[in-house]
Amino acid sequence: MAGQSRKDQLHFTIQHVADVSTSRRAGMQMAINMGFAQADATKIAVVISELARNILIYARTGTIIVKEHRGLNGKRGIKIIADDNGPGIPFLDKALTEGYTTSGGLGLGLSGSKRLMDEFYIHSEVGKGTNVTAVKWLNK
Amino acid sequence: MLKQWLENRREELLAISLAFEHDQSEPLDDSVLYPLLETTLTAAGQTLDGKVNPTRAAVKIAQHAQDARLPLPGFIHSLDVLRRAAQYLLGQDVHAAADQLAWMGALNDLLFLTAQVAATMLGSGTEAELAEERHRLRALVDALPDFVFMKDRDSRFLLLNRAMAQFMGAETPQEIIGKDDFDLFPEVLAVQYRADEMEIMQSGRVKTGYEEQTVTREGEIRWMQSTKAPLRDSSGNVIGVVGMVRDITQIKQAHERERQQRQIIEAQQQAISELSTPIIPIMDRIIVMPLVGGIDTARARDIMRSLLAGIGQYRARIAILDITGVPVVDSGVAQHLDRTIQAARLKGAQTIVTGVSDAVAEIIINLGIDWSGVETERDLQTGLVTALERLGVQLTRRGKRM
Amino acid sequence: MDSPGSTQKLENLLLVAVPRDLMDDEVIELRREILQAIRRHGSQVVLLDFSRVDICDSFFGRFIYTTSKMVELMGAKVIISGLQDVVIETMVELGMTLPGVDAVLDLDDALALSRSLSRQYNHLNETAPTGGDIADEE
């Protein structure tokens, strides 16, 4: 369900498939409101969708935060933060390789999402959880 | 004594140099930001109480970040947070403040804050302390290149710094004290300033980082960025306004130049992109896109968008991508082309790549690029014949089949 | 029958309007609906129309892939149409190019394809009458 949301920040608890569509829709709208072109807003929505699904599949529950982001040099962008306390990703390098999946998916989730964003960081510890932080800049 | 002092300094310097080594590229998360903010607020408070100097405060924050084993922030980031904290103390929305003041130096803001709070604290403490406080405040505000001032409820100057006095053409700040804007500025501006200050005093709210125009004594128009806040006495009653004003004329001019340049560049890019991704409808449901020049990621995206739009517009079933004019085909270009071909396929059109020279064919094979699903032809003419055959059209010449 | 997607028979074609947000449980239902409709109508081509979909993640990709495999098992073929340009751009950058799945530009092209396939099918039936029997069992 959508949690508390400030005007410049969306916060979602991901625990049901419905949360996937809620979060990606809201994220897409935020991107459009910020001035992203339709194509980039679509990419942002897909990345939110992939990250939310990953949370559901691997960790069952977690959070997604979508917010405006400003770089040190003043660039504007949108930032997605996905957090869970799930099992973690045992082979991170592999997980970022196209085609790798442990859940019968197409295995494009992480590697593909990385391509759709400008910045993409994964921090994962086995047994503790996974944090993905991704940024797309508004004007490159 | 000196040795002790150096010992203390060394610790600070060490902390600063350590903090600098931290990766600053990693983004800052709120769960990290808020505890940090708390420390910052405490440190800022201590600075205001005179217990800690600003450098020490920043170092403390950097240390906190290290102690908490945060995956981030460097010294710069600490200053950044400090800056936000300063705005936060002024009762502003942190994000909005950061927006407005992204280019402002952290220490300047803190100094301004110190000045403001020190000013409102006047009247407390002993005579000697008061004199010392006044002296420090004076030194502080006069050292700032920005304009700092205090006015009473009638918008008469109670205090202003040297930079502001000089801007107004006065030798010393004393010449200005007691005057109001109507004495100093053209009426149209004075009316505006007075209205802003009335609003701030009545609402009790801070007005942050708004831009306004002013004129110098010589009649030159300058752009200023102003922050004004209500000035309160010890019981909290509004007794005037305090303000900080920065001359941003040069920044404005630079931005304007940048904006104009960007407009020109965008217009040129638009023209180039239209020229560089032409779609030619050849005949029923066949389009040709001749590509000339290098293909980088940005252009590859234009090509893809233009091709998809062309397929839709001309209801194309076959798109011919002629790469005769592409000088270099490396794995990057091959991958871009492959994505374009896949995109066209998902739209419902087949792509034939023509103009694949011997050299290109060699590169594709040598690089191990899989183009097995891609239909290629030597030249555009052959490609066209193939396309027509694909659509079941037969070319005849003088009654004979070709 | 319009939930979650709506299926509609058109000659040999089974037209399926894929809903804007497709959720896990709906996928199973929609797929069952498609398979039943193929059996009921003897459809040879299933056209998945994506014109309502504006966010197409890898979950959709998996849906298309598995659906096309199941439909193939029943002797029919899945084609897709109606993908918006920005959706295609995102899919391709994501690396989701749906190999082996054919796309058509619009319904006209889908009908033309299905007619040519059914001509082949009829031709096949004439020469080998036992092949590809998908008679209605209901």
Side-chain angles (χ1 to χ4, degrees):
Chain A
M1 293 296 112
Q4 71 281 20
S5 293
R6 300 204 321 247
K7 87 179 198 310
D8 53 354
Q9 175 167 333
L10 304 169
H11 184 283
F12 303 98
T13 304
I14 306 295
Q15 53 192 2
H16 186 270
V17 281
D19 302 330
V20 176
S21 63
T22 312
S23 56
R24 69 185 185 197
R25 287 259 161 254
M28 190 174 190
Q29 193 53 51
M30 182 173 179
I32 287 168
N33 292 346
M34 277 180 67
F36 278 97
Q38 191 69 35
D40 282 342
T42 304
K43 288 170 195 176
I44 288 162
V46 165
V47 171
I48 294 171
S49 188
E50 296 291 340
L51 295 177
R53 283 194 190 282
N54 271 355
I55 288 175
L56 278 186
I57 295 167
Y58 296 102
R60 291 181 181 277
T61 171
T63 59
I64 290 209
I65 292 171
V66 185
K67 61 183 191 179
E68 274 203 50
H69 181 60
R70 194 173 276 272
L72 283 176
N73 54 3
K75 275 195 298 187
R76 276 177 84 215
I78 201 166
K79 175 151 84 167
I80 307 168
I81 303 160
D83 247 316
D84 68 55
N85 298 315
I89 306 169
F91 306 105
L92 200 54
D93 293 349
K94 259 198 194 169
L96 282 172
T97 314
E98 201 159 315
Y100 178 80
T101 173
T102 56
S103 71
L106 278 178
L108 300 165
L110 283 179
S111 63
S113 299
K114 192 173 172 165
R115 267 200 301 274
L116 293 179
M117 300 296 281
D118 294 318
E119 288 176 38
F120 200 85
Y121 310 95
I122 304 183
H123 185 78
S124 186
E125 260 183 83
V126 173
K128 289 201 172 161
T130 303
N131 168 281
V132 179
T133 303
V135 176
K136 195 160 190 73
W137 298 115
L138 189 50
N139 26 31
K140 278 155 260 188
Chain B
M1 276 289 268
L2 184 67
K3 203 175 162 198
Q4 182 61 41
W5 188 84
L6 273 174
E7 277 300 316
N8 295 342
R9 281 278 134 178
R10 200 169 65 175
E11 189 195 323
E12 283 182 23
L13 294 171
L14 204 67
I16 292 173
S17 66
L18 268 177
F20 258 120
E21 283 168 22
H22 270 280
D23 180 11
Q24 289 157 22
S25 64
E26 282 205 63
L28 194 61
D29 183 6
D30 276 1
S31 65
V32 172
L33 183 65
Y34 288 120
L36 200 58
L37 207 57
E38 231 175 87
T39 315
T40 311
L41 287 176
T42 315
Q46 288 175 341
T47 318
L48 299 176
D49 290 339
K51 288 180 189 152
V52 182
N53 69 31
T55 319
R56 181 81 200 143
V59 169
K60 232 177 135 149
I61 296 154
Q63 274 171 345
H64 169 87
Q66 280 177 313
D67 292 345
R69 314 232 327 240
L70 302 175
L72 9 117
F75 189 58
I76 304 261
H77 224 133
S78 307
L79 293 179
D80 198 42
V81 173
L82 202 62
R83 190 198 69 214
R84 291 194 201 194
Q87 289 303 324
Y88 189 77
L89 269 184
L90 283 171
Q92 284 299 296
D93 178 64
V94 178
H95 289 77
D99 259 12
Q100 293 285 346
L101 301 169
W103 47 271
M104 275 202 186
L107 286 172
N108 263 1
D109 283 1
L110 189 69
L111 288 173
F112 166 59
L113 189 72
T114 314
Q116 195 203 10
V117 177
T120 56
M121 284 192 311
L122 286 178
S124 66
T126 67
E127 259 335 286
E129 276 171 3
L130 202 65
E132 175 62 18
E133 194 71 60
R134 279 217 168 101
H135 177 73
R136 274 160 62 182
L137 172 62
R138 189 74 251 168
L140 195 63
V141 297
D142 278 341
L144 290 175
D146 294 342
F147 306 163
V148 178
F149 64 87
M150 276 167 62
K151 287 176 173 174
D152 66 13
R153 282 205 71 98
D154 298 322
S155 288
R156 281 191 298 258
F157 281 94
L158 290 172
L159 181 150
L160 71 161
N161 67 345
R162 197 177 296 278
M164 189 170 192
Q166 279 168 357
F167 180 83
M168 290 170 165
E171 284 292 314
T172 64
Q174 276 66 33
E175 290 174 32
I176 308 286
I177 286 171
K179 292 184 178 168
D180 64 21
D181 291 329
F182 289 92
D183 300 326
L184 301 159
F185 291 103
E187 193 178 342
V188 57
L189 289 176
V191 167
Q192 179 61 46
Y193 298 158
R194 176 69 181 150
D196 287 342
E197 287 161 14
M198 288 289 282
E199 184 200 322
I200 289 159
M201 287 188 284
Q202 272 160 14
S203 67
R205 275 202 294 271
V206 183
K207 211 171 165 193
T208 312
Y210 64 100
E211 293 179 0
E212 56 183 2
Q213 282 185 324
T214 192
V215 287
T216 62
R217 270 282 152 103
E218 291 77 32
E220 189 190 345
I221 293 174
R222 310 289 290 178
W223 276 97
M224 314 301 277
Q225 190 180 48
S226 302
T227 294
K228 290 182 187 172
L231 173 66
R232 294 174 193 275
D233 64 12
S234 52
S235 10
N237 302 317
V238 175
I239 55 164
V241 285
V242 291
M244 181 178 75
V245 179
R246 171 170 291 194
D247 189 339
I248 55 165
T249 311
Q250 285 190 336
I251 296 172
K252 277 291 252 203
Q253 286 167 346
H255 278 171
E256 179 56 24
R257 274 196 302 276
E258 208 178 285
R259 196 187 60 77
Q260 284 173 355
Q261 277 166 355
R262 208 168 42 233
Q263 261 183 357
I264 293 169
I265 291 170
E266 272 167 16
Q268 286 172 341
Q269 274 175 344
Q270 177 68 25
I272 291 168
S273 114
E274 275 165 15
L275 277 177
S276 71
T277 58
I279 296 277
I280 304 161
I282 288 293
M283 54 176 295
D284 188 35
R285 314 207 67 183
I286 300 176
I287 56 175
V288 174
M289 189 175 197
L291 298 177
V292 178
I295 298 173
D296 59 8
T297 308
R299 180 148 186 245
R301 192 166 286 155
D302 286 344
I303 290 170
M304 183 192 290
R305 288 178 182 169
S306 175
L307 188 66
L308 289 177
I311 292 168
Q313 187 184 347
Y314 299 109
R315 294 190 70 244
R317 274 177 62 191
I318 293 182
I320 298 177
L321 269 183
D322 185 58
I323 60 168
T324 312
V326 180
V328 183
V329 176
D330 56 12
S331 60
V333 172
Q335 202 176 23
H336 288 321
L337 287 175
D338 192 44
R339 284 197 185 143
T340 305
I341 292 163
Q342 299 299 342
R345 207 194 94 231
L346 290 173
K347 179 97 181 176
Q350 274 178 20
T351 306
I352 299 172
V353 180
T354 62
V356 181
S357 64
D358 311 356
V360 169
E362 208 172 302
I363 289 164
I364 287 173
I365 297 305
N366 285 345
L367 289 174
I369 300 164
D370 182 15
W371 264 21
S372 54
V374 177
E375 182 146 9
T376 53
E377 293 291 354
R378 189 174 62 248
D379 51 36
L380 186 55
Q381 292 84 335
T382 325
L384 263 174
V385 173
T386 311
L388 289 168
E389 277 171 3
R390 191 62 47 76
L391 292 181
V393 180
Q394 281 165 339
L395 290 185
T396 55
R397 183 182 286 165
R398 294 199 194 106
K400 281 188 292 186
R401 278 198 180 164
M402 200 176 126
Chain C
M1 223 194 248
D2 52 30
S3 162
S6 56
T7 61
Q8 202 187 334
K9 175 183 149 42
L10 203 64
E11 299 181 15
N12 276 323
L13 195 71
L14 184 70
L15 193 59
V16 182
V18 179
R20 185 161 174 253
D21 277 309
L22 192 58
M23 287 301 135
D24 303 43
D25 40 349
E26 294 165 348
V27 163
I28 297 167
E29 202 184 318
L30 178 59
R31 209 181 270 138
R32 188 174 296 146
E33 203 180 308
I34 292 170
L35 297 182
Q36 281 171 356
I38 292 173
R39 221 169 41 165
R40 203 167 42 245
H41 306 306
S43 314
Q44 282 168 309
V45 174
V46 177
L47 178 70
L48 300 180
D49 174 28
F50 279 85
S51 42
R52 279 198 268 170
V53 176
D54 58 350
I55 302 173
C56 196
D57 64 358
S58 62
F59 180 80
F60 267 96
R62 197 155 71 239
F63 161 73
I64 297 169
Y65 179 77
T66 51
T67 305
S68 94
K69 287 293 160 204
M70 286 183 191
V71 167
E72 262 175 42
L73 283 176
M74 295 189 67
K77 177 179 173 58
V78 163
I79 52 178
I80 58 172
S81 83
L83 285 171
Q84 296 165 29
D85 289 2
V86 288
V87 172
I88 292 176
E89 183 181 319
T90 306
M91 286 170 72
V92 168
E93 274 182 39
L94 192 64
M96 190 166 75
T97 53
L98 307 178
V101 179
D102 287 336
V104 290
L105 192 61
D106 50 25
L107 190 59
D108 284 348
D109 281 5
L111 273 174
L113 183 73
S114 114
R115 280 174 195 148
S116 82
L117 281 178
S118 63
R119 271 198 300 277
Q120 284 171 22
Y121 169 79
N122 291 338
H123 177 69
L124 216 66
N125 262 2
E126 282 158 24
T127 51
T130 48
D133 188 2
I134 47 163
D136 200 337
E137 288 172 25
E138 282 162 334

